[in-house]
Amino acid sequence: MRLLTTVAALSCYLTQRRLENKCLVPDDLALDEMSSWDRTAIGLVPTMGGLHQGHLSLMQRARQENSTVIVSIFVNPLQFSPNEDYKSYPRTLELDMHLCEQAGVDLIFAPTPEEMGVSQKSIQESKVTQVIPPSAMITGLCGGSRLGHFQGVATIVTKLFNLVQPDRAYFGQKDGQQLAIIRQLVADLNFPVEIVACPTLREASGLAFSSRNQYLSASEKQQAAVLYRGLQQAEAAFKAGVRNSEELIAAVRQEVAMVTNVLVEYIELVEPNTLMSLVTVKEEGMLAIAARLGSTRLIDNILLSDRLPIIAIDGPAGAGKSTVARQVAAKLGLVYLDTGSMYRSVTWLVLQQGIAIDDECAIAELASSCEIQLTPSQDLQSPVQVWINGTNVTQVIRTVEVTSKVSAIAAQTAVRKALVKQQQSWGKRGGLVAEGRDIGTHVFPDAEVKIFLTASVTERARRRQEDFKKQNLPEVNLEQLERDIAERDWKDSTRKVSPLQKAADAIEIQTDGFSASEVTAKIVDYCEQRISQLSSL
């Protein structure tokens, strides 16, 4: 791990790193490796230091998904007003470095304000060019009392994006307003960066981890936990059927009022992406609170959603993921997210429009603008009907011509990014069963149920040999199949970007000796139990 403090050194490091990474790209990416190997996969975790377990979770997620992880540590003067705690804000670089090393970070970028081209003044006093988010997003919630705060955040985040040019940037859900604003910033200014939102981590009491928790005494931390208890009361009311903002807010306020030292600044229910106030929750709402305990200002929020569950099934090649995922979806009445058909659909459209397979620019344009729909069907042979731009392509995407070209199309980064974006968009509505190698760790990290389906190398080789026989293909020696599978497992599990691994909250199911229907029954039983548990929380 390196520590750099200048823009010149950062630029030099990134140039070298990108050259090194080009040598790491495997030349045998196959269709079912949907985890988007990126030649310059750089993950950025922007922080102001004072790192804690919440930051650690961001860094660990970035380490999982990128070949290079950079953490910026910069106490940004532009986001502090003259009467706020800029000078006393926690600065713990030595401890921060230890936590970064623990998470496997490659580089810490810790510039001074002068190096970042800003003076140690508030945004109102600064003469630097400013990035100003939409006024509707910065006047409510924290924007009401922290004038200029989000302009300061947006200005420095923009500078960091330009300097690092990351593929992904990681932010915590605890700062829900900041997260929404940065997403809007990226969309409006066309930054080629994926914003990854990570769940709020909490202390044992429920208090959300925050750098400012260092200001609190042990007894104050216990008192501050009432913010989350209030949000939990509202969540319980929501699960009981309450959708009206007044009732949900009242549930929070009633609980928080029990700790008289906590002075509420606001409790509001807003749409999580636009931050517009909600009268009732129709799809999803963010219930946010800000309060003061002594001189310390604390924020927290919780997402309220009626989303149907997402079931993510990951595992190595030959574990039976596709067959089982289809059966689980049918048993539970959910949609099977047939990602393979999505790539086949794009390939069919490329061929229909006469686009050359190596014309990546034209294919990128087509993939980013096409609309794919997957709908359940009673047809046992085709349980999912596939549509692209209004045309049913369920049968035609299985032709030899499409099959022979789909690997080349799937290997293109722009295609993968466009289709993962569509998959995640569908995921917002829920009600999906999806399978792959990084479905639970990357595509749907917030899936309600995560399964890691596996089998011994010997069992998977035997299954593959049987498949070859059924398809009247030339027989392959069992020992050779075992060697091929073992090598594939090693490649999948050791690659730096989105490696094959079990999500921390997934259960592992060993399928040796079990039929697909038996494995399906196990998963369905677990899913029903898990969903019931979540509903009662």
Side-chain angles (χ1 to χ4, degrees), residues 154-414:
T155 298
I156 291 301
V157 168
T158 297
K159 289 172 76 72
L160 287 170
F161 285 173
N162 282 327
L163 290 169
V164 178
Q165 297 182 25
D167 296 275
R168 304 179 184 95
Y170 296 78
F171 296 87
Q173 179 59 49
K174 181 182 79 72
D175 298 294
Q177 184 173 16
Q178 173 180 276
L179 175 62
I181 287 169
I182 290 170
R183 279 174 166 160
Q184 192 67 46
L185 167 78
V186 165
D188 290 345
L189 300 185
N190 298 109
F191 277 113
V193 56
E194 176 189 351
I195 300 302
V196 181
C198 298
T200 301
L201 256 66
R202 301 180 181 279
E203 299 186 10
S205 66
L207 175 64
F209 277 109
S210 169
S211 299
R212 287 188 169 92
N213 288 358
Q214 297 178 44
Y215 299 154
L216 302 172
S217 66
S219 61
E220 285 177 327
K221 282 188 176 183
Q222 289 300 317
Q223 293 175 54
V226 76
L227 271 64
Y228 184 52
R229 291 203 301 274
L231 294 173
Q232 286 180 305
Q233 290 296 323
E235 184 179 39
F238 181 81
K239 288 180 176 179
V242 175
R243 296 293 181 270
N244 179 271
S245 65
E246 288 187 5
E247 293 180 69
L248 293 169
I249 290 170
V252 183
R253 197 175 297 279
Q254 182 177 357
E255 181 71 23
V256 175
M258 297 177 70
V259 179
T260 56
N261 290 349
V262 173
L263 302 178
V264 172
E265 183 180 299
Y266 68 74
I267 304 172
E268 293 189 36
L269 180 66
V270 300
E271 201 285 323
N273 297 305
T274 65
L275 303 179
M276 299 300 290
S277 292
L278 293 176
V279 175
T280 58
V281 180
K282 293 182 179 178
E283 293 182 359
E284 187 176 41
M286 181 174 75
L287 190 56
I289 183 171
R292 289 189 178 275
L293 182 55
S295 60
T296 305
R297 186 176 186 275
L298 302 167
I299 62 171
D300 204 347
N301 68 75
I302 196 167
L303 295 176
L304 304 174
S305 173
D306 272 334
R307 188 183 80 177
L308 291 171
I310 292 176
I311 298 169
I313 302 177
D314 288 315
K321 299 185 300 295
S322 177
T323 300
V324 167
R326 291 173 188 270
Q327 292 183 7
V328 169
K331 292 281 187 181
L332 295 175
L334 303 176
V335 174
Y336 168 59
L337 184 57
D338 190 347
T339 54
S341 290
M342 294 177 69
Y343 287 85
R344 287 176 172 274
S345 299
V346 172
T347 303
W348 176 83
L349 195 58
V350 167
L351 296 173
Q352 281 289 109
Q353 297 192 6
I355 299 172
I357 297 297
D358 60 354
D359 189 347
E360 294 196 13
C361 295
I363 293 172
E365 186 169 26
L366 181 146
S368 63
S369 59
C370 71
E371 182 179 349
I372 300 173
Q373 291 180 308
L374 304 176
T375 57
S377 167
Q378 299 301 314
D379 183 351
L380 296 179
Q381 297 301 315
S382 301
V384 176
Q385 295 291 302
V386 187
W387 304 71
I388 187 164
N389 295 344
T391 300
N392 189 322
V393 293
T394 306
Q395 302 303 323
V396 293
I397 60 175
R398 302 295 170 183
T399 62
V400 173
E401 186 180 20
V402 169
T403 300
S404 66
K405 299 292 192 300
V406 68
S407 290
I409 299 297
Q412 296 181 23
T413 299

Side-chain angles (χ1 to χ4, degrees), residues 48-83:
M48 293 208 303
L51 303 185
H52 48 67
Q53 294 301 305
H55 292 115
L56 179 62
S57 71
L58 304 185
M59 295 185 284
Q60 290 172 332
R61 173 82 183 270
R63 177 72 286 161
Q64 194 177 78
E65 297 177 352
N66 303 277
S67 59
T68 302
V69 177
I70 296 175
V71 172
S72 64
I73 297 178
F74 179 64
V75 184
N76 174 19
L78 300 184
Q79 67 186 71
F80 291 83
S81 65
N83 62 343

